[in-house]
Every structure is written in C-alpha cells, then in structure tokens.
Amino acid sequence: MLGRTASSLFWMSRYQERAQNTAKLLQAAYRTAMVTHAGQADGENWRFALASSGSEFGFTEKVGELTPRGVISYMVFDKTNPSSVRVCLETARNNARAVRTGITAELWEAINTTWIEFADVNPQSITQEKLPDFLAWISQRSHLFRGALLNTILRDDGYYFSQLGNFVERAENTARILDTQYWVLLPDNDVAGGASGERYQWIVILRALSGLRSYRFAYQDAKLKAGNIATFLILRDEMPRSLAHCYNWIDDTVEDLGEFYGSVQPSLEMGSQIWKDLKSTNMDAIYNNGLHEFLTDFIGRNNAFAHQLSIDYNFA
Amino acid sequence: MAEERSYFNEMLDNAGNPRAAYARLSAWLDAKPPNYLSRKTREAETIFRRLGITFAVYGADEATERLIPFDPIPRIISASEWRRLSAGIDQRVRALNAFLHDIYHRQEILRAGRIPESLIIQNDAFLPEMVGFTPAQKVYAHIIGTDLVRVSENEFYVLEDNTRTPSGVSYMMENRETMMRMFPDLFEMHRIAPVEHYPENLRQTLESVAPDLSKSEQTVCVLTPGIYNSAYFEHAFLADSMGVELVEGRDLFVDEGKVFMRTTREPQQVDVIYRRIDDAFLDPLTFNPDSMLGVPGLFDAYRAGNVTICNAPGTGIADDKAIYAYVPDIIEFYTGQKPILNNVPTWNCSREDDLAYVLDHLEEIVVKEVHGSGGYGMLIGPTASKRQIAEFRKILMSNPSNYIAQPTLALSACPTHVASGVAPRHVDLRPFVLIGDQVRITPGGLTRVALKKGSLVVNSSQGGGTKDTWVLED
C-alpha cells in the first residue's frame, strides 16, 4: 500500500468524525441555549461550542459578535474555518477521492452523496428552526459512512489506518470538550450538589458526546455528579466516546497492524502505552495530579502518536 | 447562426429510410413513448453523479466537477465499416511509431526531404533529450486516441492523432456499462462487439514493454497529477480496473537509477509507468524545474533502461498540428503503402501563400492553434460573427506560424435525444488504440456529440456530450 493511501484513509476517517463532532457540539449548544436559566451569560453555550472545536479565535477574527446565526454560519458553512462541517466533509471526500481505488463502492457512495447533498444546501435556508434537523442529518450521514466502512471494507492495513484516524480524532474531541470547562468537572462541585450553572454545563458536555442517556444507564442512581461524569467520559470503556474506549480500540488496531506487517513500529508502542496508562489509573489519581494537566498531557500524547504514525508509515 | 449545410445522416438515407445497421434501433425508438428517453437520461445522470464520474472544468469557480452530458441513443458502426477503419488506424499508428523512432535516431525522413528539417528541430514538441535513446520494443506511443470524423458514406477523415495522453476511454466503458443497465432489450436485439476487455489489454500492453521481460511479475502504475486534474476520474478508473496503484509524483522516488513507490513497508520497484502528466512535468531535474508533479531523476532512470514510461517522452512531435499535414507522407515513407484513412486538407499559416488563402477565406474555414486543444483558441468561420472574425484576423496575423487552418467539414450526424424529441446532431469518433507486443484496437471508441443544433464543436469543455458507440458483429 502506498504511504499516501494510508494517509488518505487515516484523514478521510478523521475528517468524517470531525464533521460529526462539530454537528454534535452545535446540537448540544442549540438545545441548551433554548432553556433559559439564571447565572449564565447569553451565548455561553455557543461560545462553548466554538472553544471546544478550536474555532473561537478564528470566529472572533472573522465574525466578531457572538450570535447564534453567526456561530452556525461559521461552524457549519464557512470555507475558511478548518473545523467547519463544510470543510470537514469536503476534505474527507477529497481524501476518499484520492483513494477511490482503495475503498468500496458503498463507502464511496456514502461519502460522495453526503458531499453532493451538503453542497446543494443554501446556507440561508438553514434557519434556526431548521437547524436541528439539518444537524441530525449530518450526524446520520456520518453514521452511514461508518456503517458502510465497517460493513464493506476489507480487514487489511487500509482498514487499520482508517480506524486509527477515526479514534485519534474522537479522543481529541472528547479531551478538548472536557478541557474547555474542566473546572465544572472538579470534585469540589459535587459539594454544592450541582449548582444550576454547573448542572447545565454537565448536560451540554454529555449531550455533545451523545452520553446523556447512556450516563443514566451507567450510573444506577442516575444522579449527575462531577466525579462520575468525568469517570464516565475518561475511563469507562463501555462509553463509545470515552478516552478509554478510543484507546482500547486503538490498542487492538495497533496490535493487528503490527501483526499484519510483521513488525512493531515506534508509533504502535506509543498507542499501546497510552492505553496501558489509561487502564491503570483511576479518577482519584487524575484529580490528585490535576484534571487539566491530565487532559493537556493526553491531548499532547494523542497528537504525538498520530505524528509518529505518519512518519512510520510514510504518510506523504 | 449560419444556415444548416448538408451533411451525412448516419441513421437515415436520403429517402428517410433507416440504413441497415440502424434498422432495429430506429424501430425501437419509434415504439417508445415520448418521455421515455428523458426519464432514462435523468436516471443515467443520477448514476454518473453518484459514482463520481465527472470531469473538472478549469476557471469555473463553483461546481468545478461536472458531468459530461450523456446521450442515451447509441451510435452504430457496421462490421464492414469498422474493418476498414481499424485497418486504417492500424496502418497509421504503426507509421507514427516508426516516424518517432526515425526522428530520434537517423532522421531518414528529413534526409529524404519529405519533411522540412526546421519543422522538427525548431519544434517545442521535439525533445532533444530523446535523441539516440531507444525505448523498450521500439514503441514510443503506446496509447493513442485517433480522432475521426465522417463526411460521407465511405469517407472518414483523421482530425488528430493524440499520441500524448489521450483521455476519454473511461467514458467509453462507463457509457457501455450504463447502456447495458438501462436498455438490456436493445442489447438482446443486436450483436455488439464488447469493450470491457480494454483494461486487461492495457495492462498486457504495458507489461509487454517492461524493461526486463524475464521478470515473473511486472509492477505497473498509473501516474496522475492528482485529484484536481480534469481527467482524475479516468486515472483512478484505469488504475482500479487494471488492478495497479494510482500514484502521484510524490509517491515515487529514484534511487541508484531505479524508480520506487513509497509504501507503508519497504519501497517497491516500478517497471512501467503509465503517466498521465505532460512531458514538461515529468522530471524537474531534466524538464520544468518548477514541476511539483513529477519525480526528480525519473528521466535518468528511464534513459538507463530501468523503467518504461508510457507514452514515451517526446511523442508529442507525432501529433503536432504542424506535422499533421505530413502524416500521409509519413505513412507512405515508412509503410510503402497509400494511406487508408485521409487527412483533412490543411493550410499551414507559417507558409506565406497558405496564410494569404486563409486570410481571404476566414468566413468559410476553421483555424486552430498549433498546440491548442480542447476547442479553445480556435475560430469556426461559418458560425462566427463578423466581429469575432475581425478580432481573430488580428490575432492570426500577429503570429501566423502558431496556426493551421482546415475547411469546415460537414460532420456526419446521429440521432440524439434533445428537448424536442430525437434529432440529428453532429458527431466525431475517438477509437482507442494500444501498441505494445501487438496493436490492439478496441471496437468502437468514444463518440462525442455537439448537442446544440447545427454546432460542430463536440468538446466536452464546450458543451458537447458523449454516446455509447456500437460496432456490430457479422
């Protein structure tokens, strides 16, 4: 397999995942912004969406005033925002196009049709009332992409690189969302019994990670607590967007990839080590060493892993 | 708009009766309800777009990927017509390859005075770097698309030879695929020569010109400029259907005179490159130093005989528009036979008396840039306005040697689906030829059709469409 092919499969999955994550963030912001509550400045949820996707600086530079319309336009349709849904879908599709010969017809049709239909949408037509359906559509199309991938693609090196791209991106997204307002997840907040401000923030975080319902299943008493939410999103392997889940998947994949090629590259060892470290720690230890420090360190290691991968396998 | 001239109608004779090859199709068309073809055309477009069968249009900001309009009515060529055409094409491509070998070696044809020396030596398409080098099996142009037009029952003219990197073969194949899906009944009614073996033939052709034929496995790849190239879909299509890697320049590197692909494992040596990038971009060390598309050192590896490049660098001299006028001489010189297919009479504007004639007859003739392609930078006298002609006259006079001119040909017409139903529209034909251990011509080719009434411009970049092309078997 060409190094560039490996790279394209990695980035195709990464950008498709990012498109979905951006849509999810906006869905969460939209939903919470509808509920008025005391103690929160206007637009705080929209700012949270911007910050978590790393778009805040670009937004301030280009748009300035914080309005729902402005945020939606910048995060969904803007051609200059590298995290906008538009740019993600287009980049994912360009990567798929570069490896047309390496992916299945089903997968190509899923990704290509999404792009064609998205490009046909007039941004003006997505009013605030239409936004939820539109965001849900983007999410659904991402699920279709991933379904087509999992159901049709050969389990060889191409598959492994696509999985690594998918879960590196997802891990980064989860870690960023947690880090953007890490202080609401500190255990001290439990003492207050969940002041309403924190409560709303917890809900946004869980919604943005599709975890609100599953949290209630995972914790018998179903009560929102900072410590439990943090544990759920960092260490609970059964939560599909937790850091542990992402790295458990990456660990399996690097093992398969090493076996497939008959040699273990440095990046593969890095991936396994991150999983081992997540498995052997607990929430108390993370709090003791600092949640913010933990998350910053994790984001750095996640990036270093992806970078080493691109060196080991000649991503062009 | 000039009034319609007389032309050859491929389906109907002068009395309005269908010709033998079209008899069944004609009856089938008559039996279909009025909106049947419109519905089928929309169906086909949906299929094409979903599969990403598109081409890029330069300079268009939005929608840079477009569909080539697809006409659902096939063009039919009888078995006897095809035999004559393919014999003519065979003769022509062999002669052109002999010509290429000659002008990069002893230049006998120049010594014999059959072609003026200046036309070769001062021609940008002539690559001095190729002088004295002999490619594997002495083949230079491995893939050729011969552009033909029909002007009467028995008269075909060759418009262009396309010996560099002809495109369109993927449309030939996808058109057939789509037609079979949409009109199985038509295929039951006819015996149509298949085109589906083209990728297999292409791979055989490429493997047959590998530098070391004793190797048990040859590594072939398709070299593309990348996803933004107008023919990218075709590059991917060909690599995929041959089962070989589609590479960009940055995927290849040269080490000790050999070419390798960068893979996720050890580098893999490449034996044959089917390149879809121009000579100038092949190797920044030998040609255009700014090229980001090529592979540094590739040309040296080629000259060392460690890799075969298809088509060979420097083949452009064989389809240069200034050389075109001499192709009949070229055929006679190398084969000792009369050409089976005619050239269009051509005035070379670098010659003074030719230029004088052209300037006097701009309203009647077609003027083309010597190195132009895709229907850009040309004048079609009969359909141009007075102002366009006046403007073109100035451009032509400022640089006459950049232009050739030809009479406006009455291109034949085929039944085509249009808004008002079925009507004749002008067509040309590009059969695809492979030259390696043998000459392989795929029966049929790509028919391009000018969708606008009376228009003679079939280029896809100028609003032309394509048709499936059937060669009937006896």
Side-chain angles (χ1 to χ4, degrees), chain A residues 1 4 97 100 109 261 314, chain B residues 50 227 232 251 263-264:
Chain A
M1 169 178 287
R4 185 172 51 81
R97 204 164 171 244
R100 262 299 294 276
E109 284 200 31
Y261 282 151
N314 296 309
Chain B
R50 266 207 349 247
I227 61 167
Y232 177 77
D251 298 321
T263 76
T264 51

Side-chain angles (χ1 to χ4, degrees), chain B residues 104-115:
Chain B
Y104 286 120
H105 290 82
R106 288 187 45 79
Q107 304 189 327
E108 298 289 357
I109 197 166
L110 302 187
R111 290 166 202 246
R114 300 290 288 267
I115 296 182

Side-chain angles (χ1 to χ4, degrees), chain A residues 174-238:
Chain A
T174 298
R176 273 170 171 282
I177 286 177
L178 295 175
D179 199 34
T180 302
Q181 295 201 324
Y182 69 90
W183 53 88
V184 304
L185 293 169
L186 295 177
D188 302 350
N189 283 303
D190 285 336
V191 181
S196 73
E198 269 76 45
R199 240 190 98 75
Y200 281 111
Q201 210 45 51
W202 292 341
I203 290 175
V204 185
I205 290 171
L206 284 167
R207 270 194 207 285
L209 297 169
S210 316
L212 188 56
R213 290 288 295 270
S214 48
Y215 175 87
R216 299 192 198 280
F217 283 102
Y219 292 89
Q220 294 289 316
D221 64 359
K223 280 193 185 128
L224 294 177
K225 287 184 195 151
N228 284 352
I229 296 171
T231 311
F232 185 55
L233 297 175
I234 295 172
L235 296 174
R236 292 283 293 258
D237 180 21
E238 67 270 43

Side-chain angles (χ1 to χ4, degrees), chain A residues 278-297:
Chain A
L278 278 172
K279 216 167 35 168
S280 61
T281 190
N282 56 52
M283 214 50 227
D284 285 344
I286 292 173
Y287 280 139
N288 279 336
N289 294 319
L291 176 59
H292 174 60
E293 287 71 12
F294 169 83
L295 291 168
T296 325
D297 177 62

Side-chain angles (χ1 to χ4, degrees), chain B residues 115-428:
Chain B
I115 296 182
E117 201 176 311
S118 63
L119 220 50
I120 302 288
I121 308 305
Q122 288 162 25
N123 197 315
D124 288 342
F126 177 75
L127 276 196
E129 291 86 351
M130 285 296 287
V131 170
F133 174 73
T134 307
Q137 317 300 317
K138 285 199 194 172
V139 182
Y140 286 76
H142 311 81
I143 297 111
I144 293 181
T146 312
D147 282 351
L148 300 163
V149 294
R150 184 173 197 175
V151 293
S152 71
E153 175 112 45
N154 295 311
E155 252 179 311
F156 284 86
Y157 283 124
V158 177
L159 271 188
E160 273 179 53
D161 288 290
N162 297 305
T163 57
R164 285 172 249 206
T165 52
S167 61
V169 75
S170 57
Y171 297 108
M172 170 185 85
M173 303 206 47
E174 291 291 355
N175 286 354
R176 176 62 54 85
E177 212 40 54
T178 305
M179 289 292 283
M180 291 175 74
R181 214 191 288 194
M182 292 198 306
F183 308 116
D185 47 338
L186 268 182
F187 283 81
E188 265 170 41
M189 289 158 52
H190 295 86
R191 280 168 51 83
I192 305 158
V195 298
E196 69 204 17
H197 49 269
Y198 179 83
E200 206 177 302
N201 284 347
L202 176 58
R203 182 154 177 181
Q204 268 173 22
T205 298
L206 296 171
E207 288 184 351
S208 77
V209 293
D212 177 4
L213 292 176
S214 68
K215 272 193 182 178
S216 63
E217 267 181 48
Q218 306 290 354
T219 299
V220 175
C221 64
V222 177
L223 176 59
T224 174
I227 61 167
Y228 297 108
N229 184 266
S230 62
Y232 177 77
F233 165 75
E234 176 156 306
H235 308 160
F237 175 91
L238 289 173
D240 193 22
S241 50
M242 283 194 288
V244 305
E245 289 286 358
L246 177 65
V247 302
E248 293 179 19
R250 57 197 163 118
D251 298 321
L252 299 178
F253 66 95
V254 175
D255 187 32
E256 299 197 353
K258 292 176 181 150
V259 183
F260 295 90
M261 290 194 282
R262 285 179 225 278
T263 76
T264 51
R265 292 191 256 195
E266 304 79 47
Q268 185 179 347
Q269 197 187 336
V270 176
D271 302 298
V272 183
I273 299 173
Y274 175 23
R275 49 87 173 225
R276 296 292 297 256
I277 67 178
D278 293 342
D279 285 356
F281 299 102
L282 271 180
D283 179 350
L285 299 184
T286 305
F287 305 111
N288 182 353
D290 300 329
S291 171
M292 304 291 287
L293 304 175
V295 186
L298 176 59
F299 196 73
D300 283 346
Y302 178 61
R303 288 210 42 142
N306 290 330
V307 67
T308 301
I309 299 175
C310 301
N311 292 346
T315 52
I317 191 74
D319 73 0
D320 187 79
K321 288 199 178 69
I323 299 294
Y324 167 84
Y326 296 91
V327 174
D329 299 293
I330 288 174
I331 293 173
E332 285 196 44
F333 188 78
Y334 296 106
T335 69
Q337 300 162 352
K338 287 270 171 218
I340 300 170
L341 294 172
N342 291 324
N343 253 24
V344 184
T346 301
W347 296 282
N348 213 325
C349 297
S350 59
R351 289 196 209 125
E352 233 170 82
D353 36 346
D354 280 16
L355 177 64
Y357 180 88
V358 169
L359 289 171
D360 277 352
H361 295 83
L362 279 180
E363 299 78 15
E364 299 155 32
I365 60 184
V366 179
V367 190
K368 297 176 184 173
E369 276 185 349
V370 174
H371 301 293
S373 69
Y376 293 104
M378 66 190 284
L379 175 81
I380 302 179
T383 60
S385 68
K386 283 217 158 68
R387 216 176 101 205
Q388 285 170 320
I389 291 178
E391 277 168 11
F392 200 88
R393 183 184 300 275
K394 276 187 232 152
I395 300 171
L396 171 59
M397 282 165 71
S398 69
N399 188 8
S401 64
N402 196 32
Y403 293 91
I404 56 151
Q406 294 168 338
T408 311
L409 298 173
L411 265 56
S412 62
C414 289
T416 302
H417 172 58
V418 297
S420 59
V422 176
R425 289 290 181 267
H426 297 296
V427 294
D428 77 350

Side-chain angles (χ1 to χ4, degrees), chain A residues 112-133:
Chain A
N112 191 40
T113 310
T114 304
W115 169 244
I116 291 169
E117 290 178 9
F118 183 90
D120 274 348
V121 171
N122 174 7
Q124 302 301 324
S125 74
I126 304 301
T127 54
Q128 212 153 329
E129 305 82 73
K130 289 197 180 145
L131 184 68
D133 280 350

Side-chain angles (χ1 to χ4, degrees), chain A residues 20-286:
Chain A
Q20 181 181 30
N21 294 341
T22 302
K24 278 267 161 217
L25 264 172
L26 289 173
Q27 275 177 309
Y30 175 86
R31 179 66 203 266
T32 1
M34 288 197 313
V35 190
T36 49
H37 48 271
Q40 262 197 309
D42 274 358
E44 195 165 310
N45 294 300
W46 297 107
R47 190 177 301 287
F48 168 73
L50 285 170
S52 299
S53 68
S55 307
E56 198 172 15
F57 180 75
F59 179 85
T60 312
E61 289 278 294
K62 183 164 176 179
V63 186
E65 198 197 347
L66 189 76
T67 61
R69 181 105 223 152
V71 176
I72 291 162
S73 154
Y74 187 71
M75 287 186 63
V76 178
F77 296 106
D78 198 290
K79 289 180 191 173
T80 62
N81 174 8
S83 301
S84 74
V85 173
R86 184 201 159 88
V87 170
C88 290
L89 290 179
E90 186 175 19
T91 314
R93 191 236 180 202
N94 279 345
N95 276 292
R97 204 164 171 244
V99 292
R100 262 299 294 276
T101 55
I103 60 177
T104 58
E106 289 89 344
L107 182 52
W108 166 252
E109 284 200 31
I111 205 164
N112 191 40
T113 310
T114 304
W115 169 244
I116 291 169
E117 290 178 9
F118 183 90
D120 274 348
V121 171
N122 174 7
Q124 302 301 324
S125 74
I126 304 301
T127 54
Q128 212 153 329
E129 305 82 73
K130 289 197 180 145
L131 184 68
D133 280 350
F134 186 60
L135 294 173
W137 174 79
I138 293 164
S139 219
Q140 285 299 323
R141 295 300 303 184
S142 291
H143 291 312
L144 179 67
F145 162 84
R146 185 137 177 88
L149 190 147
L150 290 174
N151 285 330
T152 64
I153 198 172
L154 207 61
R155 263 41 175 186
D156 60 7
D157 39 355
Y159 169 75
Y160 302 137
F161 288 115
S162 75
Q163 294 312 295
L164 294 175
N166 194 103
F167 285 98
V168 162
E169 180 64 28
R170 188 177 292 182
E172 159 135 4
N173 179 62
T174 298
R176 273 170 171 282
I177 286 177
L178 295 175
D179 199 34
T180 302
Q181 295 201 324
Y182 69 90
W183 53 88
V184 304
L185 293 169
L186 295 177
D188 302 350
N189 283 303
D190 285 336
V191 181
S196 73
E198 269 76 45
R199 240 190 98 75
Y200 281 111
Q201 210 45 51
W202 292 341
I203 290 175
V204 185
I205 290 171
L206 284 167
R207 270 194 207 285
L209 297 169
S210 316
L212 188 56
R213 290 288 295 270
S214 48
Y215 175 87
R216 299 192 198 280
F217 283 102
Y219 292 89
Q220 294 289 316
D221 64 359
K223 280 193 185 128
L224 294 177
K225 287 184 195 151
N228 284 352
I229 296 171
T231 311
F232 185 55
L233 297 175
I234 295 172
L235 296 174
R236 292 283 293 258
D237 180 21
E238 67 270 43
M239 162 58 185
R241 309 195 83 84
S242 74
L243 303 186
H245 182 90
C246 294
Y247 265 88
N248 192 358
W249 197 297
I250 286 173
D251 181 59
D252 286 347
T253 306
V254 297
E255 195 175 309
D256 290 342
L257 188 59
E259 216 167 89
F260 188 85
Y261 282 151
S263 78
V264 175
Q265 302 290 339
S267 54
L268 303 191
E269 284 170 354
M270 287 166 77
S272 292
Q273 192 57 48
I274 297 174
W275 167 235
K276 278 188 199 116
D277 292 349
L278 278 172
K279 216 167 35 168
S280 61
T281 190
N282 56 52
M283 214 50 227
D284 285 344
I286 292 173

